[in-house]
Amino acid sequence: MQETNASAKGGNQNVLLKMEGICKEFPGVKALDHVSLTVKAGTVHALMGENGAGKSTLMKCLFGVYSKDSGDIFLEGRKVEFKNSKEALENGVAMVHQELNQALKRNVMDNMWLGRFPRISRWCPLTSEKKMYDETKKLFADLEINVDPKRVMSTMPVSQRQMVEIAKAVSYQSKIIVFDEPTSSLTEEEVEHLFKIINMLRDRGCGIIYISHKMEEILRISDEVTIMRDGQWIATRPAKSLTMNEIIKLMVGRELTNRYPEKDNVVGDPLLEVKSLTAMYSKLKDVSFVAKKGEVLGVAGLDSSGRTELLENIFGIATRKSGEIYLHGKRVMNRNARESIANKFAMLTEERRATGIFAIRDIQANTTISSLRKYHYKGIPLLSDKKLAEVTEWGISAMRTKTPNQKTQIRSLSGGNQQKVILARWLLTDPEVLLLDEPTRGIDVGAKYEIYQLILNLAKEGKTVIMVSSEMPELLGVCDRILVMSGGQLAGEVDAKTTTQEEIMTLAAKYA
Amino acid sequence: MAEKEKLKKIGDILLNNAMYIIIAVAVVYIAIMRPTFIKLPSIVNILSLTAAKLPIALGIGGCIVLTGTDISAGRVVGLTACISASLLTTVFKVFPGMTSAAPLPLVLLLVIGVGALVGFVNGFSVAKFKLHPFIVTLSTQLIVYGIILMYLMRGVNNGQTLSGLADNYRSFITGTLFSIGGVAVPKYVLYSFILTIIMWIIWNKTTFGKNMFAVGSNEEAANVSGVNVMRTIIMVFMLAGMMYGITGFLDGARIASANANTGLNYECDAIAACVIGGVSFVGGIGRISGIVVGVLLLQIIFTGLNFLAVDANMLYIIKGLIILIACAIDMRKYLVRK
Amino acid sequence: MTEQNRQNLEQNNSTSQRQLRGLYSKVNISVKSLNIIIIVLAVALVACMAIGVSNAGFTVQFDSLGGTTVESQKYMYGELITVPNPPTREGYLFDGWYLDQNATRPWDLENDIVTESITLYAGWRLQ
């Protein structure tokens, strides 16, 4: 009797969105295999899974970015099929993107009302600035967002721009709002504000789909959790009944015992010394540190804390204002990438696809590009195909890259294998200092382990590895020491063996 | 389902090769209607004309690999043709003070230098100011045209067509290389062949060539990987400029005259040939062999249409459509499938 | 392996528009519409060729430079030009057709063949 009551109660919570048996196949791969998702009104529904589990594909099917092969989508019991995200928005399904698509040179209210500017009157086709301003002001007051509607977007921090995006979704009277990794660039305080808004929306009866990797957040904010793996629906459970370990188990499909290889590198003498490095165009200020031979030095910090900028300034692809770099006690200038490579530096960039790979070029071209001059015939400045093939073969076998052959386009490899190709590229330049920016981003768990192994092997060979990462367990597991950046400054330095995540987090918030 | 898949595959093949299919059908039709089209003189004629237009396409190909383009090509050819024709002549109208023709190698070096200079201006503006190559080369195209007109007004020439070229100049370029079946193959075919080989080596066997493809496929990654992006871009445009210079040098003697309209619209043919030959506007993709095939196919179809006595006005429309189709097919190949 | 493939695809699909930049970086068009465009353009091309062929013939215009007018004629590729009635002019003798007005490049009616549309100018000698 009680059970019936419970289910009746569940029934009262009317279902807003129902996706049933969604399938999507890309040539050769089933990206979604009969995935179902049910979002009830007045709940926050978390969607979890590893990279490549199919979360974003599922959302793209919902918004009509991809056309699904089969399956149905019901919005409040009505069968829908959106052709594009605009149509979805008009039907009350909105998305707050991970990467914001906004007209940065326009002001807040222009962005709010883009595509539906209010007219002065029905008969006058001129847009009414006043109406726009008033409505925006009202909406912001409602959501407790403290932003001037006339402010130009590009002058605002990412967190505020995100708030504008949320307000826009609300202004469309959206019933379903999808948040895709909304907290990745927010400070703790901003996250609190975001959660307050999400709770407000939930109380109004909206259904929220919340995509995030951060488990603490998910367990805190969500009511229900759906977990996906390999394009399949694995489980949907109430958040209260789940623990972090259970989620990981469901996501990975197995229990991870050894996530990090054994550390057996020996830290030697100081090799690289950076003295009060200050950047010209970013907030990086007065950073000094020493890195030793055979050491894996981690760099922790929030997004935009200056971690990436630190590496870019050392490598010379960002302009320095002041500061000195010493290698073996000798000053090096590193004015640009070429000079840095000659000085035996190497840098793996954060945005692999934007600044790492040459997508349409083959493995060979991608492997050899930084060290081409070494493969000339003796005496003539022409490239020897044989030498190119040899070193590429070495790169593939040394990194254990999985590829059909070296003439394969790099874009057809997985993220982990692409990363291995780029690592091979840098190893061929024979570097002493490797600067790795998020080396395991967008890589699946198995491949991550291999990358860690490679990093530790490099350290064992006596190279210095400086590694930036957002994943704290990764830093704790792989590094010897960890530098913590905060607001463009060095907030502290901790020993990876003795420190805790809490200590690092506290330091990371020091100047934020 | 399998049937449908098969049909789709066939459709894909048909659409991706639509251009080749149309050209093949047209050639067969022309050959049937005008049998002389596939006789030796006509074939030699097509090959010679292909050779004449090849260097400029080889130059522009590099610019397209960099996701750019170069529309100043035709005018640079015009300028260098006028320079060659004014110096290697028997009637010194532009330079009334001259009494004998300038030495050939000197003029060749001079026009290569002029081409390289224009290429440098193009490349520098593209690399340093990050302007779109279309805008930059549009400007240099206009500037070069102005220079041609002023150049032709020099001396006592008064803007007239330059002719009366020196014999050694003409024979150096249009002289007989060898004859097959009584049909003479001109010497410039050999020069074009040599240029093609040099370009092949540059594209495939040099650090510069590999860097060019790297910059074309991802400029930022190239910069991080230690490629000197600016120098690479400038060199690609300079190399293209040199090719235009050589084309101008060849064209002056080939056409036996040069005026303000020499080289007009050459860049259109060259760009069309590159795109047909698989040098993609997505950047970082292209082969020398593709460019050669592209130039050859275009030459075949236009010589053929000429054999059918199709009006020149219509040929412009056909040329435009061919470029559009080539672009659409290129786009289809590299678009992301949803 | 399939896991990797899938991951690839997701990455490729979401970001390759940015990684494959070039002139098509802003292109937002489905393959289907592109197919239609290609087919339409191909049909237009074939149609233009057909129109060109059906209207085949190079126009040869005659400028008698003050003499009696000669009607323009149409010739196919490789044909010889025949002029039924040479023009006449008061006080001058007609001495043949030329490719330029200054009568420097003569047109040989017996040997020169038509390969493009041209205008021929009459050459006059004082009587």
Side-chain angles (χ1 to χ4, degrees), chain B residues 15 34 67 132 218-219 281-282 306-311 314 318 325 327-328 330-332 334-337, chain C residues 13 16 20-24 27 29 34-35 38-39 41-42 45 48 51-53 56-58 76-77 115 117:
Chain B
L15 281 166
R34 296 275 184 282
T67 74
H132 195 280
N218 190 341
E219 198 177 310
F281 278 122
V282 299
N306 202 33
F307 262 75
L308 289 177
V310 173
D311 190 48
M314 189 53 105
I318 291 173
I325 296 176
C327 284
D330 179 44
M331 200 181 285
R332 187 179 190 279
Y334 295 104
L335 259 195
V336 196
R337 263 144 218 265
Chain C
N13 280 313
S16 47
L20 291 179
R21 285 181 289 163
L23 285 183
Y24 304 151
V27 176
I29 186 169
L34 208 49
N35 289 348
I38 293 174
I39 291 168
L41 286 173
L45 177 63
C48 282
I51 293 171
V53 172
F58 297 121
M76 298 307 282
Y77 182 90
T115 58
S117 292

Side-chain angles (χ1 to χ4, degrees), chain A residues 113-348:
Chain A
W113 299 100
L114 196 66
R116 45 165 186 159
F117 291 120
R119 292 176 168 193
I120 288 176
S121 77
R122 186 130 59 108
W123 311 109
C124 176
L126 296 175
T127 53
S128 163
E129 290 267 328
K130 190 175 175 301
K131 232 185 237 175
M132 255 161 59
Y133 185 82
D134 292 346
E135 300 247 338
T136 312
K137 199 83 188 163
K138 212 173 98 196
L139 194 66
F140 281 1
D142 207 17
L143 295 173
E144 295 172 33
I145 299 173
N146 189 19
V147 173
D148 177 9
K150 287 199 171 151
R151 198 160 161 198
V152 175
M153 283 305 239
S154 58
T155 64
M156 296 173 17
V158 177
S159 57
Q160 290 196 354
R161 282 161 45 198
Q162 197 173 33
M163 294 299 164
V164 173
E165 197 72 11
I166 296 169
K168 186 175 173 183
V170 173
S171 75
Y172 270 96
Q173 312 291 330
S174 301
K175 286 163 228 128
I176 294 281
I177 302 177
V178 182
F179 288 88
D180 188 5
E181 300 264 7
T183 56
S184 59
S185 47
L186 301 187
T187 63
E188 223 159 298
E189 214 171 294
E190 290 162 343
V191 171
E192 288 305 318
H193 188 199
L194 176 73
F195 283 3
K196 213 163 132 191
I197 292 180
I198 291 180
N199 280 327
M200 203 189 296
L201 294 170
R202 163 167 53 191
D203 294 342
R204 287 182 186 181
C206 292
I208 312 282
I209 299 176
Y210 191 92
I211 301 175
S212 177
H213 285 293
K214 298 185 184 161
M215 292 185 208
E216 296 89 346
E217 277 178 11
I218 294 226
L219 292 175
R220 215 187 110 189
I221 188 103
S222 57
D223 302 301
E224 281 187 306
V225 181
T226 289
I227 291 157
M228 293 178 67
R229 186 204 316 148
D230 299 347
Q232 284 171 327
W233 175 89
I234 299 297
T236 299
R237 305 222 180 129
K240 282 192 191 73
S241 72
L242 281 169
T243 65
M244 227 182 275
N245 279 336
E246 274 176 310
I247 296 179
I248 295 181
K249 218 161 99 184
L250 288 167
M251 270 171 39
V252 182
R254 60 183 184 273
E255 282 193 70
L256 285 175
T257 45
N258 268 337
R259 288 182 66 183
Y260 304 101
E262 206 175 312
K263 276 180 66 66
D264 48 1
N265 56 321
V266 186
V267 179
D269 299 331
L271 178 76
L272 173 78
E273 195 180 352
V274 172
K275 281 187 184 166
S276 58
L277 196 65
T278 303
M280 183 87 98
Y281 301 113
S282 61
K283 56 182 172 180
L284 190 71
K285 208 174 106 191
D286 201 21
V287 176
S288 307
F289 66 90
V290 175
K292 299 181 183 117
K293 220 167 147 54
E295 180 182 41
V296 182
L297 180 64
V299 180
L302 301 170
D303 272 2
S304 76
S305 61
R307 302 172 307 184
T308 301
E309 289 78 2
L310 175 62
L311 297 196
E312 284 177 349
N313 272 284
I314 294 175
F315 196 61
I317 50 178
T319 316
R320 276 193 292 274
K321 193 169 165 195
S322 61
E324 288 152 23
I325 302 165
Y326 294 89
L327 188 72
H328 291 299
K330 260 206 308 233
R331 177 141 188 219
V332 289
M333 295 313 292
N334 286 8
R335 271 173 295 235
N336 53 42
R338 289 184 300 291
E339 219 178 293
S340 305
I341 293 169
N343 290 331
K344 297 200 175 299
F345 282 75
M347 175 155 178
L348 195 74

Side-chain angles (χ1 to χ4, degrees), chain A residues 341 346-349 352 355-359 361-372 374-375 391 394-396 399 410 418-431 434, chain B residues 214 218 220-227:
Chain A
I341 293 169
M347 175 155 178
L348 195 74
T349 52
R352 182 170 61 247
T355 55
I357 60 168
F358 302 98
R361 305 281 289 147
D362 59 23
I363 309 283
Q364 192 187 78
N366 270 286
T367 307
T368 54
I369 183 70
S370 291
S371 49
L372 277 175
K374 290 186 189 170
Y375 317 123
V391 294
W394 172 84
I396 291 171
M399 301 289 125
I410 195 170
Q418 290 179 355
Q419 200 70 300
K420 289 181 195 169
V421 171
I422 304 180
L423 266 174
R425 176 198 298 169
W426 287 119
L427 291 189
L428 287 172
T429 66
D430 201 16
L434 284 111
Chain B
N218 190 341
E220 307 225 344
N223 182 33
V224 174
S225 306
V227 173

Side-chain angles (χ1 to χ4, degrees), chain A residues 26 29-31 54 56-57 60 66 230 353 359-360 402 411-414 442 444, chain C residues 1-16 18-21:
Chain A
F26 293 118
V29 193
K30 273 209 141 167
S56 42
T57 314
K60 279 174 183 161
Y66 297 152
D230 299 347
R353 270 154 262 130
I360 43 177
K402 280 187 216 112
R411 63 173 166 162
S412 64
L413 299 189
S414 71
D444 60 79
Chain C
M1 197 60 200
T2 47
E3 195 179 333
Q4 279 177 0
N5 277 348
R6 183 174 303 115
Q7 197 180 344
N8 266 344
L9 272 165
E10 259 193 40
Q11 286 169 359
N12 280 350
N13 280 313
S14 55
T15 47
S16 47
R18 246 170 301 140
Q19 62 176 263
L20 291 179
R21 285 181 289 163

